[in-house]
Amino acid sequence: MSFSESAARPPHGWFWLWYDSRARSALLQILFVAGFAALSIAAIVDVRAHMQARGIPTDFSFLGNVAGFDINQSLIPYSAASTYGRAFLVGLLNTCLVGALGLTFATIIGFSIGLARLSKNWIVARCAMAYVEGLRNVPLLLQLLFWYNAVLKPLPAPRQSFELPFGVFLNNRGLFVPQPVSQPGALWVVIAALVSVVAAIGLRWLSIRRKFARPRAAFFSGVATAFVVILPIAAFVGAGSPITFVRPELQGFNFSGGVRLLPEFVALVLGLSLYTAAFIAEIVRAGVEAVPRGQREAAAALGLTASQASRLVVRPQAMRLIVPLLTSQYLNLIKNSSLAVFIGYPDLVQIFAGTVLNQTGAAVQVIFITMAVYLLISLAASLAMNLYGRRFALRER
């Protein structure tokens, strides 16, 4: 047998795997995963042994132990006798509350400022530009410290509080607002409100789906508005005003009654909203300006009014560009809420990754849970925005 014949013959046994590109690629990936898994297991075993030698908890049973500390803001019942798991829920709910309010206010302010930047009024456009350039170029942490230390802490004492409309009071101990109190029959008002919103959305969808003419579409919009306004009011009156408000009243050196919003909470929501709104404003401005001017001219040539052209032509194309960037800003706001620890707001990081970690010493478990929570919240927000963005995606015929 010649040398050329032996070289051309395929290898026997398992050696042929190395000469097949697909098999070789799969084999290398399996070896990499196996090596990574072996290193991870070795690291976990080593860390566990060192933690046990130092008396540090190696499981999650510490969550059932008594916390022994108070939290000055809690959306659920909590006391020093509650468990660490309860403290985790308090911090998680406080973080979700800040995130929800921050996203709402940032969206409203950001879209308003973004549209103001496109205004033909020179003063309005320049003021909007000054807002954007001023806030987005200053670090967020400095803005939080400014709102907390320079704006809210110097406010007067409760006896010299600023009295705002609708029974709201502002002082150095926080923002005091009336507290809603439900009476028997309040459930019917809530059900009526939900039914009215669903009916309004259904009428709106029907108007768009059937592509009604302008007079008929305006009629459906009026009916939808009437549903949202009249039905809850009728249920409220028919049930005998089952929802009342308890106004805060000054008694001694502080207010009693109502709902107290901590200065740390107000500073955090204010700072996150205004800072993120500056970036959202630029995204909105860029998205609208990215729509070619010819699209507006074509809409006008078809006889569409300015409002119809904006709603049917410009807005869908602009939102197709805005939504992906808007998602990034939403995720940034949620993660930036962890800066609450610098102004003393009891969020997830301060309560769980701060106090609980220091008391239990379970650093690995606490940090792992905290990172997993932020990951899940970010993935849920991203999924929701991706589903919303499908409304404006281009569909192939």
Side-chain angles (χ1 to χ4, degrees):
M1 180 184 301
S2 64
F3 176 77
S4 60
E5 292 177 352
S6 61
R9 181 179 299 174
H12 297 284
W14 294 97
F15 292 100
W16 69 271
L17 292 173
W18 187 255
Y19 293 90
D20 185 270
S21 60
R22 296 178 60 183
R24 182 172 64 250
S25 176
L27 179 61
L28 291 175
Q29 294 182 52
I30 293 174
L31 292 176
F32 175 79
V33 172
F36 181 79
L39 290 175
S40 301
I41 294 174
I44 292 173
V45 171
D46 184 66
V47 170
R48 181 182 177 87
H50 283 80
M51 292 173 64
Q52 289 177 341
R54 289 167 173 79
I56 301 175
T58 57
D59 54 13
F60 297 93
S61 60
F62 68 93
L63 294 174
N65 298 336
V66 176
F69 61 90
D70 291 317
I71 301 175
N72 56 5
Q73 176 177 313
S74 176
L75 299 178
I76 58 177
Y78 176 85
S79 66
S82 300
T83 62
Y84 287 123
R86 191 75 171 183
F88 165 77
L89 291 178
V90 171
L92 176 60
L93 292 177
N94 287 347
T95 296
C96 292
L97 176 63
V98 168
L101 293 178
L103 292 178
T104 302
F105 294 145
T107 302
I108 296 173
I109 298 172
F111 273 79
S112 301
I113 299 297
L115 296 177
R117 288 213 61 186
L118 300 172
S119 175
K120 296 180 180 179
N121 188 302
W122 188 88
I123 296 178
V124 173
R126 291 303 180 273
C127 289
M129 183 182 68
Y131 170 88
V132 171
E133 298 299 334
L135 268 71
R136 72 172 183 169
N137 290 306
V138 177
L140 175 58
L141 180 57
L142 293 180
Q143 295 189 36
L144 294 178
L145 295 175
F146 167 79
W147 289 114
Y148 181 63
N149 292 313
V151 176
L152 296 177
K153 288 182 68 174
L155 289 174
R159 289 190 175 183
Q160 291 79 35
S161 300
F162 294 113
E163 185 174 358
L164 305 177
F166 307 107
V168 179
F169 297 89
L170 179 64
N171 54 59
N172 59 5
R173 297 189 182 180
L175 183 68
F176 295 84
V177 299
Q179 179 181 7
V181 178
S182 61
Q183 305 292 339
L187 180 61
W188 293 108
V189 179
V190 175
I191 293 175
L194 294 176
V195 170
S196 64
V197 171
V198 172
I201 294 175
L203 289 174
R204 175 69 175 170
W205 176 84
L206 180 63
S207 176
I208 297 175
R209 186 76 173 178
R210 297 293 180 86
K211 299 180 180 179
F212 290 141
R214 186 175 181 183
R216 197 172 182 183
F219 170 76
F220 272 87
S221 298
V223 173
T225 304
F227 263 113
V228 174
V229 175
I230 297 177
L231 189 59
I233 294 178
F236 181 82
V237 175
S241 303
I243 300 177
T244 59
F245 291 89
V246 177
R247 296 183 53 171
E249 296 181 356
L250 181 63
Q251 294 183 357
F253 296 98
N254 203 355
F255 282 88
S256 65
V259 177
R260 177 195 176 198
L261 304 179
L262 298 176
E264 296 83 2
F265 173 77
V266 176
L268 183 62
V269 173
L270 193 61
L272 288 174
S273 302
L274 296 178
Y275 178 77
T276 308
F279 291 90
I280 294 178
E282 277 298 279
I283 293 173
V284 172
R285 180 196 62 80
V288 174
E289 289 188 341
V291 178
R293 185 178 297 273
Q295 297 290 319
R296 299 181 179 86
E297 296 174 351
L302 291 174
L304 298 180
T305 63
S307 60
Q308 288 177 327
S310 175
R311 178 172 57 88
L312 301 175
V313 179
V314 178
R315 189 187 305 172
Q317 297 185 65
M319 290 300 296
R320 192 179 302 125
L321 305 173
I322 290 173
V323 168
L325 300 176
L326 192 63
T327 303
S328 299
Q329 293 305 318
Y330 284 173
L331 299 181
N332 288 338
L333 187 147
I334 294 172
K335 291 178 286 188
N336 287 337
S337 65
S338 61
L339 294 175
V341 66
F342 288 96
I343 57 176
Y345 176 72
D347 74 325
L348 180 64
V349 174
Q350 191 206 43
I351 295 175
F352 196 63
T355 307
V356 173
L357 188 152
N358 292 329
Q359 291 189 2
T360 62
V364 176
Q365 300 94 309
V366 168
I367 297 300
F368 173 78
I369 293 175
T370 305
M371 294 173 61
V373 166
Y374 276 99
L375 175 63
L376 292 176
I377 293 176
S378 298
L379 291 178
S382 179
L383 176 62
M385 291 300 296
N386 288 336
L387 294 177
Y388 175 75
R390 289 183 181 180
R391 295 180 51 192
F392 308 100
L394 291 175
R395 294 179 176 84
E396 297 182 358
R397 295 181 178 179

